[in-house]
Amino acid sequence: MSNRDVVGDCVFYPGWRPLQMEADAVQFSGVVGGSGPPVLLLHGFPETHIAWRRMAPALSRDYSLVIPDLPGYGRSIILARSERFTKRRVARAVSSLMTALGHETFGVVGHDRGARVGYRLALDHPDRVRAFASLTVVPTLDAMSSVDPEFALKNFHWFLFAQPDDLAEHLLDLDPPGCLERVLARMTERRDFLEQEVTDAYHEAFGRRSVRHAIVEDYRSALREDLEHDRADRREGRKLRCPVLVSCPKGNRQSDGTSPIEVWRQ
């Protein structure tokens, strides 16, 4: 085992402490650092905790940051799969992680898949989440209610990965590096935005079949259990009780013209 395997990706966070802790059937990996009120940072697809490497140093001056790989992503290993790791299940796991680290209440910042875990965490554990920041997403129910051809073409992986059999895993197994390169190219306007060592780290993670399977299961849950959980919230009138910050690309709107801010105000 290499030193990098032991300390996770601290090479991207000089002077930070490695996070290696078991909580709720997940062996979490990542980094912790900074001082002040605790904040949990949750990354998206197809990233790992190193996605926060540029933002974290500034935040760490005022906050104690916990930056894990999501369960199954990167080096965070799912130890038991008695149930699918839906956003509710992941939220429970990261809540347990924060408890194990001694943080009873905390802020949450989530991007992409991590933002979906974040709002589920705030809804299911309202006494623990002090504030929530959503970067670039609206709730899954609203996203699916607004699907049009443009969304479907740009986000085809939502529907491919959600297939109920092993089609997605089989196709990803054929060429993991090529698949990931295409994903990264679609998600970044400038390919040089990602340093080579970051790209290499993402390839290292995506090259493991267990990681690819966890990613696919993430998307399967999105169009099944996660949608049902969102619908139940709407039926029961459950609302986010904490302050919410919404950040999204300028001019971003749903297919019916609704802005992300208007969606979240619901």
Side-chain angles (χ1 to χ4, degrees):
M1 181 178 290
S2 69
N3 183 61
R4 182 168 166 179
D5 288 326
V6 173
V7 301
D9 290 303
C10 279
V11 63
F12 298 103
Y13 295 85
W16 290 54
R17 302 183 303 281
L19 170 64
Q20 292 290 334
M21 178 173 289
E22 183 176 336
D24 197 10
V26 178
Q27 180 62 50
F28 280 100
S29 181
V31 295
V32 293
S35 61
V39 174
L40 174 66
L41 303 184
L42 300 174
H43 67 83
F45 162 79
E47 302 156 331
T48 69
H49 71 277
I50 64 176
W52 301 102
R53 67 198 178 281
R54 291 174 174 152
M55 185 182 297
L59 289 175
S60 68
R61 292 195 288 267
D62 299 302
Y63 300 98
S64 295
L65 301 182
V66 178
I67 316 180
D69 292 335
L70 290 173
Y73 283 72
R75 292 190 179 87
S76 286
I77 301 169
I78 296 174
L79 302 175
R81 290 182 178 273
S82 58
E83 58 184 300
R84 197 201 306 272
F85 268 69
T86 63
K87 305 307 171 294
R88 171 163 285 163
R89 179 67 184 86
V90 176
R92 193 181 87 195
V94 295
S95 176
S96 296
L97 172 65
M98 296 302 279
T99 298
L101 291 169
H103 303 310
E104 290 305 314
T105 62
F106 47 89
V108 180
V109 180
H111 168 242
D112 188 63
R113 314 310 294 172
R116 302 185 189 286
V117 173
Y119 79 75
R120 177 51 51 196
L121 179 59
L123 283 166
D124 288 359
H125 307 269
D127 294 333
R128 305 205 60 190
V129 178
R130 294 186 296 103
F132 168 56
S134 169
L135 309 185
T136 76
V137 306
V138 296
T140 303
L141 179 59
D142 298 285
M144 290 300 96
S145 299
S146 187
V147 169
D148 59 12
E150 181 180 357
F151 179 97
L153 285 172
K154 183 178 180 180
N155 301 279
F156 71 94
H157 62 287
W158 273 66
F159 311 104
L160 172 61
F161 290 177
Q163 295 302 308
D165 54 23
D166 65 349
L167 173 64
E169 285 94 339
H170 174 69
L171 293 176
L172 292 176
D173 287 350
L174 296 176
D175 184 15
C179 291
L180 182 60
E181 278 299 312
R182 285 169 173 79
V183 169
L184 295 177
R186 292 172 69 93
M187 291 184 171
T188 55
E189 293 182 3
R190 296 192 352 260
R191 192 61 186 85
D192 61 353
F193 177 78
L194 295 178
E195 307 92 327
Q196 186 59 51
E197 57 267 30
V198 172
T199 300
D200 291 345
Y202 288 163
H203 273 287
E204 179 186 15
F206 199 75
R208 295 193 291 277
R209 196 176 197 276
S210 63
V211 171
R212 298 195 298 274
H213 176 65
I215 289 171
V216 169
E217 285 285 272
D218 179 358
Y219 281 90
R220 285 189 181 123
S221 74
L223 299 193
R224 291 174 177 79
E225 298 96 333
D226 297 346
L227 272 181
E228 286 307 310
H229 296 156
D230 279 6
R231 291 189 182 109
D233 289 333
R234 302 296 171 88
R235 288 194 303 268
E236 297 165 14
R238 297 177 69 201
K239 302 279 189 177
L240 291 164
R241 287 165 34 186
C242 64
V244 177
L245 171 70
V246 175
S247 176
C248 56
K250 186 177 181 180
N252 190 27
R253 290 186 175 272
Q254 302 289 91
S255 60
D256 64 0
T258 306
S259 73
I261 295 292
E262 292 171 312
V263 171
W264 280 106
R265 281 178 176 153
Q266 299 178 51

